[in-house]
Amino acid sequence: LARKLDLQQSLRRALVTIEDKELALHIHNNQRLGLISAMLAIFIFGAFYGRYLPQNSLAEKASSEYAEIAVPTSELGAGHVVLLHAYMALTAAATILQLLVVVRTTMLCVLAPGLGLRGPEGSMTRAVLVLRRQSMINLHLFYAGYVCFCADAAVYLYILFEGDAVLPAPSLALIAASLVWAAVDATRVERRLRLPLAGGFEAVPPLPD
């Protein structure tokens, strides 16, 4: 009986050690993702937000920098107004999504270790399970912000060339190609790094290069 209890205690310690390493891995990944999202949010806000402002509203209260790039409302057609609204909405969406990743990763990095270290028995397992799911959600939010950023750049090109469908075509093709490549590459990497099935890696069919 004493030997059985000793084996059980050893198994529990081994499981806690493994979970502690996985907890540290998720915390490290979330810290890096939060840093990248913060830098991207700053870039999006500085590069796109406030680039075009109607003169009869915000530009009158804006600085000279914004006044130089303000757009007279009387000169805007209906299609151009729609593009401006789409431009501002996509800029806000891309920035908010990246900042949401920053907020979520900060909460996970602060709360999860506290639960794992100071909680009752089983808290380490719960912290790891929560981190697994929430880390994937953060990654998807980051991808969504990247898509909004690319769409924002495409709308900006249409505004820059005053609605012309031919002049921005090369840049639009480059943006579309980058989105397709990112989606294909992310899918390929996810498949290669997917956890094995019950039978081990042999249960996963080999992937072509």
Side-chain angles (χ1 to χ4, degrees):
L1 180 61
R3 185 174 182 181
K4 181 180 179 180
L5 292 176
D6 184 61
L7 288 175
Q8 289 177 347
Q9 291 294 333
S10 299
L11 180 60
R12 289 196 187 97
R13 286 194 295 268
L15 291 176
V16 169
T17 301
I18 294 174
E19 289 176 343
D20 182 64
K21 291 182 178 179
E22 185 175 355
L23 181 70
L25 173 66
H26 287 301
I27 293 298
H28 176 74
N29 291 340
N30 278 278
Q31 288 175 342
R32 297 295 296 271
L33 184 61
L35 177 61
I36 295 172
S37 296
M39 295 176 63
L40 188 56
I42 293 173
F43 173 76
I44 294 171
F45 186 85
F48 289 123
Y49 192 76
R51 183 68 63 177
Y52 289 93
L53 296 172
Q55 281 187 348
N56 63 348
S57 57
L58 298 179
E60 295 177 356
K61 302 177 183 180
S63 63
S64 58
E65 177 185 358
Y66 288 129
E68 293 177 357
I69 56 178
V71 180
T73 308
S74 59
E75 299 179 6
L76 296 178
H80 208 80
V81 172
V82 172
L83 286 176
L84 285 176
H85 281 291
Y87 174 79
M88 298 303 295
L90 287 170
T91 302
T95 306
I96 290 172
L97 284 170
Q98 299 301 331
L99 291 177
L100 185 59
V101 173
V102 175
V103 173
R104 287 174 55 85
T105 53
T106 302
M107 290 179 59
L108 291 175
C109 292
V110 171
L111 298 179
L115 174 63
L117 295 175
R118 298 191 299 270
E121 184 177 357
S123 297
M124 181 67 74
T125 302
R126 178 176 176 81
V128 169
L129 293 177
V130 171
L131 276 173
R132 285 180 189 172
R133 176 172 177 78
Q134 297 303 320
S135 295
M136 293 305 301
I137 294 176
N138 290 337
L139 193 59
H140 292 156
L141 290 173
F142 178 81
Y143 288 152
Y146 171 72
V147 172
C148 289
F149 170 75
C150 292
D152 197 19
V155 174
Y156 174 75
L157 288 173
Y158 271 112
I159 297 175
L160 189 63
F161 290 100
E162 299 180 351
D164 192 288
V166 178
L167 292 178
S171 298
L172 293 175
L174 183 61
I175 293 174
S178 69
L179 281 173
V180 173
W181 179 84
V184 172
D185 187 65
T187 302
R188 182 183 301 153
V189 170
E190 190 274 334
R191 291 181 61 193
R192 289 182 179 275
L193 298 179
R194 186 182 302 164
L195 290 175
L197 302 178
F201 281 105
E202 291 77 12
V204 182
L207 300 175
D209 293 330

